[in-house]
Amino acid sequence: MAVSTMASNPILAVHRPGLNRVNMVQPQQQVVLDHPQTKTPNRATRLAESLSQLLHLHIEPPSRAAVQQVNWDLHNEEKHSTPPLSPKEDISGKWREIQGSRDWDIILDPLHPWLRREIVKYGEFAQATYDAFDYDSFSEYCGSCRYNRNKLFEQLGLTRHGYKVTKYIYAMSHIELPRWLEKSHVTDTWSRDSNWIGYVAVSDDEETHRIGRRDIVVAWRGTVAPCEWYEDFQRDMEPIGIGESKVEHGFLSIYTSKNDATRYNKSSASEQVMTEIIKLVQLYRGNGEEVSLTITGHSLGGALALLNAYEAAATIPNLPISVISFGAPRVGNNAFKEELHQMGVKTLRVVVKQDWVPKMPGLLFNEGLQVFDQIRGKKLEWVYTHVGAELALDVSSSPYLKRGMNLLGFHSLETYLHLVDGYLNGTTPFRADARRDVALVNKQCDMLVDELRIPHCWYQLANKGLVCNAHGRWVKPKRDPDDIPSPIRETHNHHALEIEMQMYNVNALSPLCSA
């Protein structure tokens, strides 16, 4: 099946005349995972929840007695001698439901273990965009990825997931953002305009067999300092597509900005990512494979993931598209939400109740006002609205996390992944057999109880990036040449990947030709 391509700025004209967007949705396989049925809230409960949301109140359940006293010495000894990963299951027969074909109806609460593992997998792909990002303003490569795409997963210990990075994505913006666009203090830098914002990866043969389809993943990076972008992302919404959909100006600027005078953003992030997605879809569909697109991101990355999903759904017919976001803000109005729904995009928002970022923009005027729609008889198209299903997590459910106010810790992606790993349902305490390494929570914040004896903000380069040279002086090391950002090298690597894929196709078809 041919996939349509787009000429210039695709996000501004993503719908073609006569296109029936409802028919773009691929029929979903109706497979129900084994799970106990959950009760539907009654009308009074729904009204209470709506008013609570409107007023931004969180009505907490009674104190959980199950958050009990822990023998930390015994706990540490037991946890340190067990693997931090659960076994992989073959989900090939039920992947559509895990990816949201039924909007995660009965597998979210209680959380099905297969879905939990997939959420954590995609969350770790999003976390990689932080762990490999060069934050050092004294580095001439500040704002880039520390490693080339062939080494990214190996350096971060993510090869176990069975994906290969095929493309890096760079972004710029025409609005002033104080900390989103990290810039080097060094005069001669790799780029004055662009930042590394994410990557595209694709499942290998083994993982493809396990999950039942060839999975293309796009991971988007969030803000460096999320507390600083609130003022920048309070601008008016602007139209997207050809209908009534509108999205926040700052998010759209990052996604679509480009400049011929730059090295890395002669094409926008939108154009970079869509070119790669279209190429991969054509390649694997041409091999007769079933293909899915899963887009993930944290914070700002979650907002960019929605914009990416909107464009991909409007461009590539019959492609199953899921968004798994963490701590993401609102992006657009109700029309934007409805269009995504009509196009078949499945969105799962993972949200920590104590995190303030998902409440923005639209702290006061948001989807909570829709309780008055029936009275007014008209949709409030000027308010921000969340999209999709929600998995709500609570910091107080974990005995490993400190109590009290910690805005950075509440928003940290590692806190999110810790809470997902321990989540069973909305009323059950943290599960005792959670396996993910608790120490990861304190990588870039101070959220773990002191009894665990894990230093806060421990994740950094050894000696903060300085090395002792042959003369005994401490200096900043030079990067491996393969890890230095280079548009020419990335283009060359991209062509090499295409040749590698073509050779793979020839080898895969040769037994058929000789039969």
Side-chain angles (χ1 to χ4, degrees):
M1 179 183 294
V3 180
S4 60
T5 57
M6 306 180 65
S8 55
N9 194 345
I11 197 65
L12 301 181
V14 293
H15 300 311
R16 293 175 295 281
L19 178 63
N20 186 336
R21 281 172 278 171
V22 177
N23 292 338
M24 291 169 62
V25 184
Q26 185 176 15
Q28 300 295 329
Q29 181 179 353
Q30 298 298 314
V31 181
V32 179
L33 299 180
D34 297 329
H35 235 346
Q37 296 291 334
T38 55
K39 294 182 179 179
T40 303
N42 59 34
R43 183 178 300 178
T45 301
R46 291 197 300 269
L47 178 59
E49 291 175 348
S50 297
L51 292 176
S52 174
Q53 185 177 18
L54 173 63
L55 299 175
H56 297 279
L57 300 176
H58 289 302
I59 302 175
E60 299 292 345
S63 177
R64 295 176 180 169
V67 179
Q68 53 203 0
Q69 296 296 323
V70 179
N71 184 332
W72 293 108
D73 290 332
L74 180 61
H75 167 271
N76 289 339
E77 183 177 347
E78 290 177 348
K79 288 294 185 181
H80 293 171
S81 59
T82 58
L85 301 172
S86 57
K88 285 187 176 183
E89 305 90 353
D90 185 336
I91 63 173
S92 58
K94 300 182 179 180
W95 70 267
R96 289 187 180 278
E97 190 170 357
I98 293 173
Q99 289 296 106
S101 66
R102 295 165 58 89
D103 297 313
W104 300 279
D105 186 24
I106 63 172
I107 62 174
L108 204 56
D109 190 359
L111 182 61
H112 197 285
W114 294 3
L115 176 58
R116 177 191 295 113
R117 183 180 183 89
E118 294 304 291
I119 292 173
V120 170
K121 178 180 77 173
Y122 293 118
E124 290 183 342
F125 286 147
Q127 180 64 42
T129 63
Y130 294 112
D131 293 343
F133 187 66
D134 190 344
Y135 296 93
D136 184 2
S137 60
F138 294 102
S139 166
E140 61 182 306
Y141 307 114
C142 179
S144 72
C145 181
R146 296 183 185 276
Y147 317 109
N148 72 68
R149 63 173 181 81
N150 296 315
K151 293 166 57 178
L152 179 66
F153 286 169
E154 179 183 354
Q155 291 290 330
L156 300 182
L158 296 179
T159 54
R160 65 183 183 275
H161 288 317
Y163 285 71
K164 181 174 183 178
V165 178
T166 66
K167 177 74 173 177
Y168 276 175
I169 310 166
Y170 297 88
M172 60 179 295
S173 178
H174 291 308
I175 64 175
E176 283 297 321
L177 302 177
R179 288 287 303 279
W180 172 77
L181 190 63
E182 286 290 295
K183 296 183 179 180
S184 174
H185 290 162
V186 181
T187 303
D188 186 16
T189 65
W190 70 282
S191 174
R192 299 177 183 273
D193 312 280
S194 305
N195 268 205
W196 179 63
I197 195 65
Y199 60 88
V200 182
V202 65
S203 57
D204 63 19
D205 291 344
E206 182 178 355
E207 180 70 359
T208 295
H209 178 75
R210 184 186 77 85
I211 62 179
R213 82 283 183 192
R214 187 72 65 172
D215 188 31
I216 301 168
V217 169
V218 182
W220 294 93
R221 180 174 62 79
T223 48
V224 175
C227 61
E228 293 183 328
W229 60 251
Y230 170 69
E231 291 298 334
D232 293 286
F233 294 147
Q234 293 301 297
R235 300 163 188 258
D236 293 337
M237 288 186 279
E238 63 178 89
I240 185 173
I242 61 173
E244 299 296 324
S245 292
K246 294 182 180 180
V247 295
E248 202 281 325
H249 169 75
F251 301 146
L252 190 60
S253 176
I254 292 172
Y255 188 65
T256 60
S257 291
K258 62 181 179 179
N259 189 322
D260 284 337
T262 65
R263 297 177 64 193
Y264 285 84
N265 278 114
K266 297 182 187 299
S267 60
S268 66
S270 160
E271 292 166 337
Q272 295 169 46
V273 72
M274 286 306 302
T275 298
E276 184 69 6
I277 291 172
I278 289 170
K279 178 181 73 73
L280 292 173
V281 170
Q282 289 177 330
L283 171 67
Y284 291 111
R285 279 184 172 176
N287 293 341
E289 297 188 42
E290 200 158 20
V291 183
S292 70
L293 174 62
T294 309
I295 312 176
T296 187
H298 168 254
S299 189
L300 165 66
L304 297 175
L306 271 187
L307 296 177
N308 188 186
Y310 179 91
E311 182 176 15
T315 307
I316 308 175
N318 304 318
L319 177 66
I321 300 174
S322 300
V323 175
I324 311 292
S325 69
F326 302 84
R330 296 182 180 91
V331 176
N333 62 0
N334 188 68
F336 177 68
K337 169 187 173 181
E338 292 300 324
E339 279 202 62
L340 284 168
H341 176 72
Q342 292 170 13
M343 292 189 291
V345 174
K346 303 299 181 180
T347 302
L348 176 59
R349 296 184 298 106
V350 185
V351 175
V352 169
K353 293 180 180 180
Q354 291 81 2
D355 185 7
W356 62 270
V357 172
K359 299 177 176 61
M360 308 293 180
L363 178 62
L364 297 177
F365 303 105
N366 55 64
E367 64 275 359
L369 293 177
Q370 292 174 12
V371 296
F372 303 112
D373 281 353
Q374 291 182 349
I375 300 175
R376 300 178 67 255
K378 185 179 180 181
K379 296 285 186 181
L380 296 175
E381 297 297 344
W382 49 272
V383 299
Y384 285 96
T385 303
H386 269 309
V387 175
E390 177 181 281
L391 174 59
L393 308 172
D394 191 340
V395 168
S396 67
S397 68
S398 171
Y400 306 100
L401 302 182
K402 291 178 179 178
R403 304 299 181 257
M405 183 64 67
N406 188 333
L407 294 180
L408 181 61
F410 294 160
H411 188 58
S412 168
L413 179 51
E414 287 291 358
T415 300
Y416 272 76
L417 297 181
H418 167 71
L419 291 173
V420 170
D421 189 44
Y423 183 86
L424 288 171
N425 59 51
T427 58
T428 305
F430 202 86
R431 68 186 183 110
D433 57 346
R435 288 198 169 199
R436 200 163 191 274
D437 192 350
V438 176
L440 294 172
V441 174
N442 266 14
K443 283 168 71 173
Q444 294 169 330
C445 65
D446 182 15
M447 277 293 289
L448 293 175
V449 295
D450 294 336
E451 289 83 354
L452 286 169
R453 302 191 294 274
I454 304 297
H456 66 273
C457 301
W458 57 262
Y459 188 83
Q460 62 182 29
L461 295 179
N463 302 312
K464 296 189 176 180
L466 294 184
V467 297
C468 190
N469 68 13
H471 304 287
R473 296 187 179 277
W474 288 90
V475 298
K476 282 191 172 294
K478 294 186 179 298
R479 274 200 189 181
D480 186 312
D482 289 339
D483 295 332
I484 296 175
S486 168
I488 297 176
R489 183 182 297 110
E490 292 198 8
T491 301
H492 173 76
N493 290 340
H494 197 60
H495 290 160
L497 176 65
E498 290 180 336
I499 294 173
E500 178 184 331
M501 289 181 169
Q502 291 170 3
M503 292 298 296
Y504 165 78
N505 294 338
V506 170
N507 293 334
L509 292 174
S510 57
L512 299 177
C513 296
S514 59

